[in-house]
Structure formats: C-alpha cells, structure tokens
Amino acid sequence: MSEIAALLTSLPWWTWLVLFILLVAIWDVFIQKRHTIKHNFPVVGHLRYWLESIGPEMRQYFVANNREELPFNRIERGWIYASAKQENNYEGFGSDRDLYAHQHVFVKNRMMAYQAPAGHPNLEDKSFMPCAKVMGAYNKRKRPYRPASIINVSAMSFGSLSAAAVEAMNKGVFKAGAYHNTGEGGLSPYHKQGGDVVFHFGTGYFGVRTEGGNFSMEKMKKLVADNPCIKAIEIKLSQGAKPGKGGVLPGAKITEELAEIRGVEVGKDVLSPATHKAFSNVPELMAFIEDIAQETGLPVGIKGAIGKLDQWEELADLMLKTGKGPDFITVDGGEGGTGAAPPSFADHVSLPWVYGFSSLYRVFLDRQLTDRIVFVGSGKLGFPAKAAMAFAMGVDCINVAREAMMSIGCIQAQVCHTNRCPAGIATQNKWLQKGVNVPLKSDRLAQYFKSFRKEFLEITHAAGYEHPCQFTMDDIQVNVDDNDLNRSLASTYGYNKVKVDFKGVEELKDCSYLGGK
C-alpha cells in the first residue's frame, strides 16, 4: 500500500492534469447523452457552455453601449443609482440620445417658468409632491386617502422579494412619505415598518383566504382593523408581464413564516388560478368592490393590464348607471416586470403602457367618469420625463417596482426566477440577504424618491405649472414616424386629458386625508 502511495506522490503535476482531461473526455463521449457538442467535441465543448453562461455579464459590462440594454439601459440605471446615493446625477457635454428617434418624448417648456410665491410649500420642501386627487372621495368612503407622494412602490410580494428588501423598501417609503404596495403575497411583518401600505391581493387571496382558497371577508376586516398602516385595497385582475396566467407555489418553498403570512399549509403546493373565485363577471366585480369598501371603510381599486376593452366599457357603463365603482385604477403596461414569466407572455400578451393607458382613459373620458377615479400608472415610468408624459395623458400618480429595486442595490442580473439574486433582493437565500444593509438601503430608496420628485417638479415648473396634474396632452410632443415627424400627445392618441380640480399645493398640504403622517 505504501508503495502505491509513493508511486502516486511521485507523479508530476501534469500527469494528474492529463488524467483529469482523459476522464472528462471519457465522460463526454461515452457516458453523458444530453449534449451533442460535448460528445462531438469532448473537453473543449465545455468552454462553449461556460462562455454562454457568462455571456449576459460580458455584454452588460463590456459590449453593450450606454443606451442599448433592456429593460433598463446603463444611463437609466446610473441615474437611479446616483440619485439614490445623493451623488452627481447630471450628464455633461449635452444629450447622447438620438432626439429624432421614434417615440422620443419632448416636454414643451414655457418662455417664463413658474415661480413659487412666498410661503409656498415647495420653497421649504423641494420634493413635496402629493397626489392631486383623493382616493375614495367621490364614493364617500369612511377613510379616504390622498397619497403624499406621486411616486410609490409597486406591487412586489414578500416571497418574491427577500425579507431584507421588503423591510428596506417600507422604511424607505416612510422616510419619503410614499406608500408601499404589498403585492399579492400578503401583508408580512416586513411591510409594517412605518410606511403607508396598499394591501394588494390576487386570485390566491393570500392573507385573506379560507382553508379552501376562497376569499374571506372576515379575515379582510380583521387585517384592516389590526393594521392601521393599510390605507387602501387593490384587487389584482392582471399584471403586465403575465396577464391571465395563474401559477403554482411549490410546497418546498413554503416555510412556516410564509405559510402564516399567506394563510396556507406548510409544505403543500398552492395554486393561484388564472381567474378569481369571488367574482366571474363585471357586475359581480362591482358588488365585490362595494362590499369590501363598505366593510373596511377603505378606498378599493383594481389593477389590470390592458388588452380588449369590452369588459372595461361594461364597467364604465355600470359606473355611470349606479354612481359607484372603483376608487382607483392601476394600469400596468406589457413592459412591466415580474419575478418569473414565460417569454411568450412577457413579450406579447397585453399592450405596452402608452397604448394601454390611452385606450382605457378614453373609455372613462367618453362617459365623463375620470374625475371619480385616481389613475395610477405602472410600467417603467420611474424617470421624470416619462412621468411628465404619463401625467399629461391622465395619470394621477405612478408606481415603480424595478426602479425601486435598483435604488436599493439591484444590478439587473435578470436571475430573479432562480433564487440566486446576487444583490440579495429577489431571493430567499439567507446568505445573500445578509448583504442588504436595511438602514442604508432604506435611505437610498427614500433619496431616489425625493430626487425624482425634485427633478420632476423642476420640469413641471419649467413647463409653467405648479403641479404635474396641470400637464395637458399638448405640453408633450412625441416623434411618430418619418412622414409625420412630431406630434402632440393629443394628436397622437386622439383625446385630451380632463383638467384636474387643482387649487394649489398649499391645499394639498393641509388636506386631512394626506398620507405619510
């Protein structure tokens, strides 16, 4: 035995290398059957798969130009990172964008910008920008709500995001005076860190479900009564990245903590159907909205990605007939994000935000219903110029998801569906989560929101307005095509936004329904 050991230790290092390569070659040619390339090109075939695995990183850091990447290019990500860290978010030497490119947006400035009078709230707080409308005011809900920020955190569940990420976001919205949408995974302890909350639920009714998976009004009432941080309730009809698609939460992922929050059993697969059990048509949806509002006293809204308009038209007709309806409508664009979705859904099902929102707004505009509803836009709108376009089209506030993730450290690795998020944000891996410094990241989310509002307010003032709700469709130009180079939004999308009843920011500041307090 000692002779064999002596022989092995006497072999030069390159012998071991040759032996290892020989074993890999034998495996590639004679044993593995899955990869043709490895069989036909043993050993070196592995290089192809390794290069492919690091391809996204190579393209992101070395190949793609500053304006080339999707869903967010390097310039967009850099602006968010710099804004969140209170670093210089300016650019020098002028724009590097093609200003004649298709769908490029222009905000029309006024010859003399708006100047805030003495004592104006924005002289004291340059990022104070509440929503100009009150959720639930028209329908006389018991607890109306005016969002204290026009930019807020969109629906992202605990489970899809890590505990550290959710906690950082909620503490961040508290510091920024914004609200935090829970996503459909239920209200977790990490959502209850001081910030206003919009409780969101979908077909799984997580957090407000019976043992059989149906909606429970009693649990909803108790949830609202026990958690005064909940300011509004949102019913998810669909989302932009995968409208009309259900899902399964594998039992292996359901921990005791997740089971308690979502109201499900540990270790048992949970189905989220493609459609709701609580209603199956528009009149039943209307009745469901009214029941929840009556029982909780809160504003109740709906969220949907836009495609066919027939049921939206039915909803609008019913609102006109009954004088009731949702207090707010969140419109999600087909370009919206998700933790995981089939490419066929993410790439092709539902309209992009500008097409979807303009189609839907006209439905309510034609019936003179827009004053009743707070319109919330969601779909890559977390940049001041894009927000100006959205407000000109009729939006009252916006929700951001991926932009909020980037403000707390997301690097757009696009591995949200693998549980291997390197930034510790879209993962349940405890080690990766430890990299998220919650106090620091909450400061960064708050600073991103404040920087966004400050810059958006500067654009608003440059256009001659006090508040972005005053933007009209004629204040924004968009490049259309070569034959008709440039048109206003009104000309492009065929309608004019209804004027918002706005009397001044001072009135918004003194509103008893103002959130963030």
Side-chain angles (χ1 to χ4, degrees):
M1 196 68 181
S2 60
E3 293 177 355
I4 295 175
L7 175 64
L8 292 176
T9 55
S10 67
L11 293 175
W13 66 267
W14 55 265
T15 306
W16 292 106
L17 180 62
V18 170
L19 183 60
F20 173 74
I21 292 173
L22 181 61
L23 290 173
V24 171
I26 292 171
W27 171 268
D28 288 344
V29 175
F30 299 106
I31 300 175
Q32 72 86 25
K33 305 295 182 184
R34 296 183 60 189
H35 300 288
T36 304
I37 296 297
K38 290 180 182 178
H39 176 276
N40 293 347
F41 302 93
V43 182
V44 294
H46 288 268
L47 182 62
R48 183 262 179 198
Y49 292 99
W50 178 75
L51 290 172
E52 183 183 48
S53 71
I54 64 170
E57 289 80 6
M58 296 292 288
R59 288 188 291 273
Q60 180 174 359
Y61 292 114
F62 301 111
V63 179
N65 67 40
N66 287 344
R67 299 282 186 184
E68 193 173 38
E69 295 172 89
L70 291 172
F72 295 90
N73 63 49
R74 190 175 291 120
I75 294 294
E76 291 172 331
R77 297 198 309 275
W79 182 83
I80 293 173
Y81 296 148
S83 298
K85 297 174 184 177
Q86 284 188 282
E87 295 176 351
N88 187 343
N89 62 4
Y90 286 19
E91 62 181 32
F93 209 63
S95 176
D96 63 352
R97 299 198 60 164
D98 178 5
L99 302 186
Y100 299 95
H102 178 59
Q103 290 193 330
H104 187 75
V105 169
F106 304 91
V107 181
K108 294 161 75 172
N109 62 297
R110 195 181 183 202
M111 184 173 73
M112 297 182 189
Y114 171 82
Q115 186 173 2
H120 193 280
N122 287 133
L123 295 179
E124 180 182 345
D125 183 354
K126 296 185 183 301
S127 68
F128 180 67
M129 193 182 287
C131 179
K133 289 182 183 176
V134 178
M135 293 178 177
Y138 178 85
N139 290 314
K140 296 181 172 58
R141 307 301 188 200
K142 295 174 186 174
R143 291 166 55 188
Y145 175 61
R146 185 193 296 275
S149 171
I150 54 92
I151 180 171
N152 304 281
V153 173
S154 192
M156 293 181 285
S157 305
F158 166 62
S160 177
L161 298 190
S162 67
V166 174
E167 184 177 351
M169 286 183 180
N170 195 263
K171 289 183 174 179
V173 299
F174 173 70
K175 295 171 183 176
Y179 68 69
H180 187 181
N181 191 305
T182 63
E184 61 182 305
L187 181 71
S188 73
Y190 314 107
H191 288 104
K192 297 185 283 187
Q193 302 296 317
D196 288 354
V197 167
V198 173
F199 180 74
H200 170 109
F201 67 88
T203 58
Y205 307 119
F206 297 127
V208 289
R209 62 186 266 142
T210 65
E211 289 184 5
N214 295 311
F215 175 78
S216 169
M217 184 64 78
E218 291 305 313
K219 287 189 176 181
M220 174 65 82
K221 289 165 61 177
K222 186 177 188 309
L223 185 77
V224 171
D226 292 346
N227 297 281
C229 61
I230 299 176
K231 305 298 184 182
I233 297 167
E234 183 176 77
I235 304 166
K236 174 187 166 184
L237 303 178
S238 58
Q239 71 180 88
K242 47 183 178 184
K245 177 170 173 54
V248 177
L249 181 63
K253 289 188 176 182
I254 302 178
T255 62
E256 289 187 10
E257 180 183 40
L258 206 62
E260 183 180 354
I261 292 166
R262 297 198 175 197
V264 297
E265 294 182 41
V266 177
K268 185 177 179 181
D269 290 357
V270 178
L271 173 67
S272 291
T275 56
H276 278 268
K277 293 180 181 179
F279 55 88
S280 60
N281 54 47
V282 173
E284 289 178 1
L285 169 62
M286 280 277 285
F288 188 54
I289 291 170
E290 291 304 314
D291 287 346
I292 294 176
Q294 186 67 33
E295 293 291 340
T296 64
L298 296 179
V300 180
I302 54 178
K303 174 183 178 177
I306 309 304
K308 297 179 180 180
L309 295 175
D310 54 329
Q311 289 180 315
W312 289 102
E313 290 168 346
E314 184 182 354
L315 174 65
D317 289 337
L318 201 56
M319 289 174 63
L320 194 62
K321 179 180 178 181
T322 63
K324 301 176 180 179
D327 299 296
F328 62 97
I329 297 176
T330 302
V331 178
D332 203 12
E335 64 272 61
T338 179
S344 54
F345 270 81
D347 294 345
H348 299 290
V349 184
S350 83
L351 296 174
W353 190 85
V354 289
Y355 302 146
F357 182 82
S358 59
S359 299
L360 182 76
Y361 190 87
R362 280 200 302 267
V363 169
F364 294 95
L365 175 66
D366 291 344
R367 294 160 178 81
Q368 298 182 333
L369 295 170
T370 55
D371 288 342
R372 299 187 189 183
I373 305 163
V374 174
F375 288 99
V376 183
S378 177
K380 296 176 67 174
L381 299 176
F383 304 92
K386 287 185 177 180
M389 176 195 69
F391 272 77
M393 294 176 72
V395 152
D396 299 299
C397 56
I398 64 171
N399 286 350
V400 295
R402 291 168 292 181
E403 296 95 319
M405 291 168 65
M406 284 187 273
S407 75
I408 66 169
C410 168
I411 61 170
Q412 194 171 280
Q414 296 180 273
V415 292
C416 313
H417 58 298
T418 67
N419 202 38
R420 299 197 305 269
C421 171
I425 295 170
T427 179
Q428 297 305 305
N429 182 296
K430 298 296 184 185
W431 171 256
L432 294 173
Q433 287 187 55
K434 288 183 184 296
V436 180
N437 183 322
V438 172
L440 174 65
K441 299 302 185 181
S442 66
D443 285 342
R444 288 186 177 176
L445 177 106
Q447 189 56 49
Y448 160 57
F449 276 14
K450 290 176 181 178
S451 296
F452 172 94
R453 294 192 307 239
K454 178 178 179 292
E455 191 165 317
F456 190 16
L457 189 65
E458 291 169 349
I459 290 175
T460 302
H461 289 175
Y465 297 126
E466 182 182 3
H467 189 279
C469 73
Q470 297 172 285
F471 274 110
T472 72
M473 299 284 278
D474 290 321
D475 291 317
I476 309 294
Q477 298 278 126
V478 59
N479 290 340
V480 182
D481 57 40
D482 290 340
N483 295 322
D484 192 1
L485 290 178
N486 187 288
R487 293 198 294 180
S488 70
L489 289 178
S491 175
T492 303
Y493 295 108
Y495 71 93
N496 276 296
K497 163 194 161 184
V498 173
K499 185 177 179 181
V500 175
D501 184 18
F502 172 74
K503 297 181 176 65
V505 172
E506 188 71 45
E507 182 188 57
L508 306 186
K509 183 180 179 183
D510 296 335
C511 176
S512 59
Y513 307 129
L514 185 67
K517 296 180 180 178

